Amino acid sequence: MTAARGPLRPLYAQASGSPIRAMLALAGREGMVSLAGGHPDPALLPAEWLRESLLEVAGQLQGRNLQYGATEGLPALREASAAVLRQRGLAARAEDVLITTGSQQAIDLLARVLVEPGEGVAVESFNYPAALQAFRFAGASLVEVPTDAQGMDVEKLEALLRAESPRVLYVVPNFANPTGAVMPLARRLRLLELAAQYGVTLIEDDPYGELWFDTAPPPSLAQLNQQAGSPAQVAYMTSYSKVVAPALRLGVLLAPADIARGVVLAKQAADVHSGSLEQLTLTAMLASGRLASHLDMLRPAYAAKGDTLDQALRTHCGGLLEFDKPRGGMFIWAKLPSSMPLLSTQSWVDFGLANQVLVVPGAAFSISGAAQPWLRLSFANPAHQALRQGAERLGRGLRELAAQATKAAANN
Ligand code: PMP
């Protein structure tokens, strides 16, 4: 007799939960500094702007606002979101955009509608784990494209496209999670060329592009593709989570019409439509015209936090971590020296508990899940003083690890 399978499909039964979520469960402990979460700074979330808009919406609520709405999203929010995309240089009309429940849902729905189980999805060496999870749950086989400090190495991509024929390529060209990398213009153009040539649909995920510190990133793949007459298939998505608030759970998808049609069908099956009260509130927020000034406040505020962590790491972790100064987004991607042992994710949790500082080990972002000589350090959430303290504790903990490694090597 074969062993009975449990209630869960093996794909879910065997999947591990997000190690980052496990870290976050520890983040609230007394005295803990968490450089682990990629969450915005609560002090920079627009509580007052949101409250005013919420009250405005509450004052105008009628029965008809409480009805089911269109799967594509509230017409006024689609219009306002198309205007946000036009601000970013994209050609977009209201009817071209879909409102999703966070950009996470757009990734999930695209995975469902674009990838047949067993087909390949090309991804960078290090990725946002929930995107990998969505592709895996869709049955995709993940194809790793080597990645360096400038994002995907497109020169190595062509051989992979020939050998593995992936259907889809998922990429975060701006201030990627976890690497913080920005893909240069030349790579973007080459990627588009290859995508058109090999018939690969690009999923461009851009939650961080507006959070640049000194210079805006190059034009999006979607914009460059439009400028070239749209030879490639590009589904572009962005999120209101980092530029307004994650609590709204609202994202925007701009995709070719046939892909959008598939996504609407999948969304009808998933949640019918995103919450109308959140959509009304965001519509009121955008109508107030304050998004631009909010971004003007956010950019230097996050730049200052990036600077604080960068400086503190240079002071306290010199020789123990190698990293670039952040140019935008929320992350520093730091490399450990080769003399340091590769630790399991659980060991990094133990390290966090022992040193009162949480970091996310590179394994969490890798395709194989194997230990990596990398740490993702987020400067977004903690206050400046906590960032300094976190770097100091990290330095102390890493020095201890290095000393243990030296001792172990000497005893061998
Ligand atoms: N893509 C990337 C690269 C992310 O880092 C995140 C969130 N951390 C998301 C998508 C999902 O964001 P949301 O669903 O809140 O829009």
Short mmCIF file of all heavy atoms in Angstrom, two decimals, residues 88 148-149 189 240 283 293 320 335:
data_model
loop_
_atom_site.label_atom_id
_atom_site.label_comp_id
_atom_site.label_asym_id
_atom_site.label_seq_id
_atom_site.Cartn_x
_atom_site.Cartn_y
_atom_site.Cartn_z
N ARG A 88 5.28 58.50 -14.45
CA ARG A 88 6.52 57.72 -14.52
C ARG A 88 6.98 57.50 -15.95
O ARG A 88 7.89 56.72 -16.20
CB ARG A 88 6.33 56.35 -13.85
CG ARG A 88 5.99 56.44 -12.39
CD ARG A 88 5.99 55.05 -11.77
NE ARG A 88 5.52 55.09 -10.41
CZ ARG A 88 5.41 54.05 -9.62
NH1 ARG A 88 5.76 52.86 -10.07
NH2 ARG A 88 4.97 54.17 -8.38
N ASP A 148 24.59 40.13 -10.82
CA ASP A 148 25.70 40.82 -10.16
C ASP A 148 25.19 42.14 -9.58
O ASP A 148 23.98 42.33 -9.43
CB ASP A 148 26.88 41.00 -11.15
CG ASP A 148 26.49 41.81 -12.38
OD1 ASP A 148 25.54 42.60 -12.29
OD2 ASP A 148 27.16 41.66 -13.41
N ALA A 149 26.11 43.05 -9.29
CA ALA A 149 25.72 44.29 -8.62
C ALA A 149 24.84 45.17 -9.51
O ALA A 149 24.26 46.15 -9.04
CB ALA A 149 26.97 45.06 -8.19
N LEU A 189 17.76 47.43 -22.29
CA LEU A 189 17.49 47.38 -23.73
C LEU A 189 17.79 45.98 -24.28
O LEU A 189 17.04 45.42 -25.08
CB LEU A 189 18.32 48.44 -24.46
CG LEU A 189 17.89 49.88 -24.13
CD1 LEU A 189 18.91 50.89 -24.67
CD2 LEU A 189 16.50 50.18 -24.70
N TYR A 240 1.25 50.40 -4.13
CA TYR A 240 1.09 51.58 -3.26
C TYR A 240 1.66 51.32 -1.86
O TYR A 240 1.61 52.20 -1.01
CB TYR A 240 -0.39 51.97 -3.18
CG TYR A 240 -0.90 52.61 -4.47
CD1 TYR A 240 -1.74 51.93 -5.33
CD2 TYR A 240 -0.52 53.90 -4.81
CE1 TYR A 240 -2.20 52.50 -6.51
CE2 TYR A 240 -0.97 54.49 -5.99
CZ TYR A 240 -1.81 53.79 -6.83
OH TYR A 240 -2.25 54.36 -8.00
N THR A 283 -8.33 56.46 -3.60
CA THR A 283 -8.76 57.40 -4.64
C THR A 283 -8.82 58.82 -4.05
O THR A 283 -8.35 59.78 -4.66
CB THR A 283 -10.15 57.00 -5.19
OG1 THR A 283 -10.08 55.65 -5.63
CG2 THR A 283 -10.56 57.89 -6.35
N SER A 293 4.19 65.43 -3.04
CA SER A 293 4.90 66.02 -1.90
C SER A 293 5.25 64.94 -0.87
O SER A 293 6.27 65.02 -0.18
CB SER A 293 4.09 67.16 -1.27
OG SER A 293 2.86 66.67 -0.82
N LEU A 320 34.36 42.91 7.88
CA LEU A 320 33.48 41.75 8.08
C LEU A 320 32.34 41.71 7.06
O LEU A 320 31.73 40.66 6.84
CB LEU A 320 32.88 41.78 9.48
CG LEU A 320 33.91 41.62 10.60
CD1 LEU A 320 33.32 42.10 11.93
CD2 LEU A 320 34.33 40.17 10.70
N LYS A 335 28.03 41.27 1.77
CA LYS A 335 28.72 39.99 1.59
C LYS A 335 29.63 39.70 2.77
O LYS A 335 30.39 40.57 3.21
CB LYS A 335 29.51 40.00 0.29
CG LYS A 335 30.06 38.66 -0.06
CD LYS A 335 30.46 38.53 -1.51
CE LYS A 335 30.62 37.05 -1.82
NZ LYS A 335 31.28 36.78 -3.04
#
